[in-house]
Amino acid sequence: MTPFSLLTEMESRSRRFASPLPQQVETVSTWRGIGFLLGNEQYVANMADVVEILQMPKVTRVPGVKSWVLGIANVRGRMVSVMDLNGLLGQPSRGNWRSQRVLVIEQDEYLTGLLVDAVLGMQSFPVDREAPAPQMSDALAPFVMKAFDRDGRNWPVMEFGELLRSPEFMNIAV
């Protein structure tokens, strides 16, 4: 048997016993975020905006600030200002201390904790399910530019960067 005929025979056997190639599956791009509750409404924030999720840490009150500024906390050696997001937006909280969580946002070198009523975990949405922002209260409208629809439910996307740069957020003095 010549080397060429041996190679030809090996190729023939390989093709005969080879598994078929997997079918090509169309991939769908997804957008990922952290779901959370404010009152009875569900929202989602970009995963890249949230650096940590905490139970309510021990805070030191700060005098002369608005009521929604809960105080300053030491989280692993870094100072985090903790704000009540419901209070900032002028809506009542529906959560209790067991379900409430603090979403830690890092903007430049500053850490800000935003108290929410509950965290709903990581949420994924196909990017083609993006929808316009639903009707929002005047307090929320500047911070919700879009939403995602999934399973007949609307998930407004809260833009924490816009929130942290807003005059309402920056003006904490009484």
Side-chain angles (χ1 to χ4, degrees):
M1 187 172 244
T2 67
F4 183 74
S5 63
L6 182 60
L7 286 174
T8 306
E9 175 62 29
M10 286 172 48
E11 177 191 23
S12 174
R13 273 188 288 168
S14 294
R15 288 185 188 271
R16 207 171 32 237
F17 297 113
S19 299
L21 290 174
Q23 292 182 354
Q24 287 189 348
V25 178
E26 184 178 328
T27 59
V28 176
S29 296
T30 58
W31 183 94
R32 289 186 175 83
I34 299 293
F36 61 95
L37 286 177
L38 287 178
N40 292 328
E41 299 297 320
Q42 64 190 22
Y43 296 89
V44 67
N46 193 324
M47 284 279 283
D49 291 346
V50 180
V51 295
E52 193 166 358
I53 300 170
L54 306 170
Q55 287 187 330
M56 182 64 177
K58 182 177 178 182
V59 296
T60 301
R61 298 279 307 157
V62 178
V65 295
K66 294 186 177 171
S67 61
W68 49 267
V69 179
L70 300 175
I72 304 273
N74 182 339
V75 177
R76 282 177 273 301
R78 294 185 72 188
M79 299 304 290
V80 178
S81 54
V82 181
M83 317 293 183
D84 177 6
L85 191 51
N86 278 311
L88 169 64
L89 299 171
Q91 54 190 41
S93 174
R94 303 257 193 274
N96 61 49
W97 66 272
R98 287 188 179 128
S99 66
Q100 288 180 324
R101 295 292 181 265
V102 174
L103 302 177
V104 180
I105 313 303
E106 188 165 13
Q107 189 78 23
D108 300 321
E109 69 272 5
Y110 302 106
L111 293 177
T112 303
L114 300 172
L115 182 67
V116 298
D117 290 326
V119 169
L120 305 173
M122 188 175 86
Q123 305 293 322
S124 295
F125 304 93
V127 292
D128 63 352
R129 301 296 300 167
E130 186 176 317
Q135 286 287 77
M136 293 274 144
S137 69
D138 289 342
L140 277 167
F143 315 119
V144 177
M145 314 317 183
K146 64 182 177 182
F148 286 98
D149 288 323
R150 186 179 67 207
D151 302 327
R153 297 186 75 184
N154 190 272
W155 290 78
V157 177
M158 176 109 23
E159 299 289 344
F160 285 146
E162 294 297 319
L163 176 75
L164 271 53
R165 287 187 292 274
S166 71
E168 297 88 355
F169 187 84
M170 299 299 285
N171 184 15
I172 64 170
V174 180

